Amino acid sequence: MVTMAAVDHFHLLYREISRSCNFYIEALAVVGAWYTIRKCSTDGVGKAYAEELAKRGVNIILISRNKEKLEAVSKSISETYKVETDFIVADFSKGREPYPAIKEALKDREIGILVNNVGMFYSYPDYFTNLSEDILWDMINVNIASANMMTHIVLPGMLEKKKGAIVNVSSGSCCQPTPMLTIYGASKTYLDYFSRALHHECASKGIFVQSLTPFVISTKMTTLSGMAAKRSFFFPSAEEYASHAISTLGLSTRTTGYWKHAIKFTLGERLPEWIWAWFSLYIFRITRKEALTHEVK
């Protein structure tokens, strides 16, 4: 059931987590920024979510591959919200390479909240056979392996204290098979399944696991279409989305995080698969053609 919180349950969850920590609670609020095939940015939903946590007094650790942007965002959050911040430079596209260093950096930290937000998206929708092997491996390493490995690093400490929360940012595309976003949609469906199963596994031990399934959010990374790049009724800004989504933490184990997206998700789930697939192909063929035309120019 996809729901949107009517009230903010974050403080209830945070209070319970805080009781189990000896010193102070830290939220690993950004596990990497959104990657694209061409560029990465420590902006968008991850940054906005980190800021929403900071507004509530949660100390922040940021993880991404761009040191300069990490430093800037870390300093900005610290100065604006008067919380402690730290950052770890890591490239999640490098397979197993970054995790020993991350594990070492986090070994003496009390992590109360883990937000697996790292993700890689296509430059534009495309057919599976047009994707390079590098893109396929990067998509697996960034979208799937990162959430698995970060959870594997952080979860034992949460279980020891019998308190904690994990947010895995999936996608509304997981509600139906989406052609021309085949690998991306499959990777986000994995995260959705992983989150729901892990919650059942760990809920009795005091761990809250949430699958967050947003649709398109207007950010600097939204380059698939001019319409989606502009804030509108169904395309909220990252800040607007994060302020809604965080209110569901501790309440909804599976949610779009935003009531307008919940409408789309509910309708999407109920559409016959062939209609969803036909419409996706229709829209994404146009988007692909526009992108290729723009590249030529």
Side-chain angles (χ1 to χ4, degrees):
M1 180 75 177
V2 180
T3 60
M4 178 60 216
V7 295
D8 190 345
H9 278 59
F10 174 82
H11 286 290
L12 299 177
L13 178 68
Y14 180 43
R15 185 177 61 195
E16 290 301 310
I17 294 173
S18 299
R19 286 175 180 171
S20 66
C21 292
N22 296 325
F23 304 104
Y24 58 88
I25 197 75
E26 290 181 332
L28 187 51
V30 182
V31 183
W34 277 89
Y35 283 55
T36 65
I37 292 169
R38 297 177 180 173
K39 58 185 177 179
C40 80
S41 170
T42 311
D43 290 313
V45 178
K47 178 185 174 184
Y49 202 101
E51 289 176 339
E52 287 296 326
L53 288 169
K55 285 179 185 178
R56 291 158 171 79
V58 182
N59 299 314
I60 305 296
I61 302 172
L62 305 170
I63 303 183
S64 185
R65 64 177 176 177
N66 191 311
K67 183 178 180 181
E68 290 72 24
K69 288 190 176 182
L70 277 172
E71 288 178 334
V73 173
S74 179
K75 182 179 180 181
S76 174
I77 290 175
S78 179
E79 292 178 351
T80 303
Y81 303 105
K82 311 304 178 186
V83 296
E84 295 187 31
T85 61
D86 197 0
F87 64 86
I88 301 169
V89 179
D91 187 343
F92 292 101
S93 69
K94 301 297 184 182
R96 301 175 67 166
E97 180 182 310
Y99 299 104
I102 294 174
K103 188 173 183 178
E104 178 66 21
L106 296 179
K107 70 176 183 180
D108 296 322
R109 309 285 188 124
E110 293 196 35
I111 307 300
I113 303 170
L114 169 67
V115 182
N116 284 316
N117 177 65
V118 64
M120 176 180 172
F121 194 58
Y122 303 158
S123 292
Y124 51 83
D126 209 346
Y127 299 99
F128 175 76
T129 52
N130 290 340
L131 304 177
S132 69
E133 289 187 10
D134 286 343
I135 291 172
L136 298 181
W137 280 115
D138 285 351
M139 192 77 72
I140 292 169
N141 286 327
V142 173
N143 290 12
I144 297 176
S146 64
N148 280 264
M149 295 306 298
M150 290 305 305
T151 301
H152 199 260
I153 289 170
V154 171
L155 184 56
M158 293 181 176
L159 291 172
E160 184 178 341
K161 292 178 172 50
K162 298 182 180 180
K163 294 294 176 186
I166 298 170
V167 180
N168 293 317
V169 182
S170 176
S171 166
S173 63
C174 74
C175 74
Q176 290 269 19
T178 308
M180 298 186 74
L181 294 182
T182 302
I183 298 301
Y184 175 79
S187 69
K188 291 302 182 177
T189 300
Y190 175 93
L191 286 182
D192 181 50
Y193 180 99
F194 172 69
S195 304
R196 293 155 67 190
L198 189 64
H199 179 77
H200 288 295
E201 190 174 312
C202 298
S204 63
K205 302 170 185 176
I207 312 301
F208 185 90
V209 184
Q210 182 182 65
S211 174
L212 202 55
T213 59
F215 279 93
V216 177
I217 298 165
S218 178
T219 72
K220 293 179 181 179
M221 305 308 292
T222 312
T223 57
L224 291 183
S225 73
M227 179 179 65
K230 298 178 181 178
R231 180 179 171 184
S232 64
F233 184 83
F234 281 117
F235 301 142
S237 68
E239 293 74 21
E240 182 183 2
Y241 175 79
S243 68
H244 283 80
I246 201 168
S247 71
T248 67
L249 188 55
L251 177 65
S252 302
T253 58
R254 189 188 191 219
T255 175
T256 63
Y258 186 61
W259 69 270
K260 296 174 185 177
H261 285 188
I263 295 171
K264 294 172 69 176
F265 197 102
T266 301
L267 292 174
E269 278 191 315
R270 283 157 177 73
L271 274 178
E273 184 176 311
W274 72 268
I275 294 179
W276 175 279
W278 177 88
F279 185 74
S280 298
L281 282 169
Y282 176 77
I283 294 296
F284 290 150
R285 281 170 178 157
I286 294 173
T287 305
R288 178 177 182 270
K289 183 178 180 180
E290 290 177 350
L292 291 174
T293 301
H294 182 74
E295 274 190 351
V296 172
K297 293 180 180 180

